Amino acid sequence: MAALAVGAFAIGLGSFVVIGALDEIARALAVTPRAAGWIISAYALCYAVSAPISALLFARANRRTLLILALSMFTLGNLVCILADNLATLITGHIVFALGAAMFTPTAASLATELMGPGRKGLALSFVYGGMTVSQAAGVPITTWIAQTSGWRYAFVIVLGFGLLAVSLLLSQAPKPQAPTAPGPRWRLPSTIPWPIVGLLATSFLIVVSDFTVYSYVSVILSDTWLGAMKVLPLVLLAFGVGAIIGNVATGLLTDRIGPTIVLLGAVAVQTLLLILMILCRHQGAVALAIGFGWGVASYMYLVPIQHRLLSRAPDAQPLVLAMNGSLVQGGVAVGAAVGGAAMESGGMSLLAWVAALIALAAFLTAAAFVRKRADE
C-alpha cells in the first residue's frame, strides 16, 4: 500500500505542477496564459481517452507489472518536459506521462480496495488518493516557489526525482496479485452502461469542469496578490494542499459512516461558494489564504463518494468503471481549462466567476439525482 501511495504522489505532483508554474511558463515561452493552458488540457484529454482503453487492453495483465510500466512512462514524459524549449514539446511530454498516469491511477485504486478488504472501500480509496493529496499539500507549493525563484524547469526536476523513487519502491515493495478477470461483455461498450452509472460519471465530469475553470488559472488570478513581502500564490497552494489532506481523510471516514450522498452534496455546495469567493477576493492576501484552505478541503471530498457508489453498482467491472470515471475527470480538467481561458479573455474575472458558478450548479443537481443509494444496495 505504501508503494501505491508514493506512486500516486508522483502522479499527482506531475499532474499539478503546471498549475502553480503556468504564469512563469507562459512568460518564458512567450505565449498567452490561455495558450499555456493547453498544456493542462492536452494532458487531461490524453488521460481521458487512454484510461478506458488501457483498462480494456490490460484487463488480464499482472497489476504489479502494469503499475511499473505506467510510472516508467510517466518518468520519461517528465524528462521530455524538462528538455522542452517550446510549447509543442512541453505538450508532447505531458501527453507521454498522461498515458502512464491513465494506466496507473485506476489500477492502483482497484488494487487498494482489494487489499483493504470489504467494508473499507472508502478508506482504501482515500489512502491511494491521499498520495495525490499530499503532493498538493507539500509538493505543489514547493515546486511553485521553485518555479518563481529558479525557473519552471527545476520544478519538473523535482517531479522527475519522485517518479524515479516511485518506480524503485514498486520494484521492491509492490505486492504480486493474481491478474484480474477481464470485464464481462456487457461492459465492453459504453452504450450498455446502466443510466445510474452514466449519471455518476456525469456528476464527476461537471464537478471537475467547474473546479478547473478556476483552478487552472489560479496562478494568473493571484499573480499580483501579496501577503506581506511574499507573493501569496505558494502560500495559497500550501493552504489548499493542507485542506486537501484533511478533506481526503475526512471523506474516507465520513463516506463509510454516513454515506456518500451527504458528503458529496455538502462538498459541491461549499466548493461552489469558494470558487466565486476566490475570484471576488483575489486581491486580499489573507482572505485568499483562508479561501484556499477551505477550497482544498471541499475539492477532495467528492472523489471518494462517487467512486464508492460506482464500486457498489459495478462490482464485476471495477477497473473499467474506475478508468471511465478517471477518464471523465480528466476530460473535465481539459474542458474546465479551456472554458476558463475563454471566459477570462472574453469577459475577464467577472465572467469567469459566473461561468464557474453555473457549471457547479449543474453538478449539484446531477449529484442530487444520481448519488442516492438504491433499495438493492
Side-chain angles (χ1 to χ4, degrees), residues 17 43 153 159 193 275 308 361:
V17 67
Y43 171 92
R153 295 180 194 276
V159 179
I193 299 177
L275 289 176
H308 185 282
L361 176 60

Side-chain angles (χ1 to χ4, degrees), residues 50-60 106 183 319-320 323:
S50 61
I53 295 174
S54 297
L56 288 172
L57 290 178
F58 299 106
R60 295 185 181 276
L320 177 58

